[in-house]
């Protein structure tokens, strides 16, 4: 059953986020204002949430969960703004930026190990090896 979760929660989002990067680069070519650009992204997220809410019966929300969701939106929106600025205002190639901003994996892994005590559930030596490979890849890409 875990493989289904890995496909649904890992591989398919990788495709969606990859497509988002391509759309982001395409949008930057039409020199959008970053504020309206983020508002359009927000409308896309709102539409996704509305469709999913309409399709399911799971409509529960609590104040703590809603607050965390707002934090997700703020951090993700800030990231999208910064990537957009890197592409649009600083003309950095997407092929260089994507490997760098996807080092967010390292932040997630570290914080999950600390806050959720996931070290008991994973093979830490493999995480360390993977981390070193990600850092090496980021260094190679940034210098290309």
């Amino acid at each position: 059953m875990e493989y289904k979760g890995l496909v649904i929660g890992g591989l398919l989002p990788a495709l969606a986020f990859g497509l988002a990067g391509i759309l982001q680069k395409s949008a930057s070519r039409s020199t959008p204002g970053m504020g309206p650009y983020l508002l359009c992204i927000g409308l896309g997220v709102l539409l996704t949430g509305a469709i999913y809410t309409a399709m399911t019966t799971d409509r529960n929300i609590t104040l703590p969960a809603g607050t965390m969701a707002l934090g997700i939106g703020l951090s993700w929106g800030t990231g999208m703004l910064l990537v957009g600025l890197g592409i649009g205002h600083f003309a950095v190639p997407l092929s260089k930026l994507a490997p760098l901003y996807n080092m967010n994996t390292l932040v997630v892994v570290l914080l999950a190990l600390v806050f959720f005590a996931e070290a008991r559930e994973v093979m830490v030596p493999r995480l360390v090896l993977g981390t070193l490979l990600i850092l090496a890849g980021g260094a190679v890409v940034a210098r290309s």
Side-chain angles (χ1 to χ4, degrees):
M1 188 63 135
E2 182 178 335
Y3 74 92
K4 287 182 183 178
L6 291 172
V7 170
I8 291 171
L11 295 178
L12 294 178
L15 293 173
F17 294 142
L19 176 60
I22 297 301
L23 293 171
Q24 188 170 30
K25 174 74 175 196
S26 297
S28 74
R29 289 183 173 162
S30 63
T31 60
M34 290 308 295
Y37 169 76
L38 287 173
L39 289 173
C40 289
I41 291 172
L43 288 174
V45 173
L46 180 67
L47 182 60
T48 302
I51 291 170
Y52 186 77
T53 300
M55 291 173 48
T56 66
T57 58
D58 185 14
R59 294 186 177 92
N60 297 326
I61 190 76
T62 63
L63 183 59
T67 303
M68 292 294 151
L70 179 61
I72 292 167
L74 291 171
S75 63
W76 186 78
T78 300
M80 292 298 289
L81 170 64
L82 295 172
V83 171
L85 290 172
I87 292 170
H89 292 301
F90 296 101
V92 179
L94 178 61
S95 57
K96 279 186 164 184
L97 280 179
L100 294 175
Y101 68 70
N102 280 303
M103 280 200 254
N104 68 65
T105 303
L106 302 177
V107 176
V108 173
V109 168
L110 177 65
L111 293 177
L113 290 171
V114 172
F115 288 112
F116 303 125
E118 290 187 358
R120 296 181 302 242
E121 303 172 37
V122 298
M123 295 180 173
V124 175
R126 288 186 183 180
L127 283 179
V128 171
L129 177 60
T131 297
L132 293 174
L133 291 171
I134 290 170
L135 290 172
V140 168
V141 167
R143 293 181 178 194
S144 67

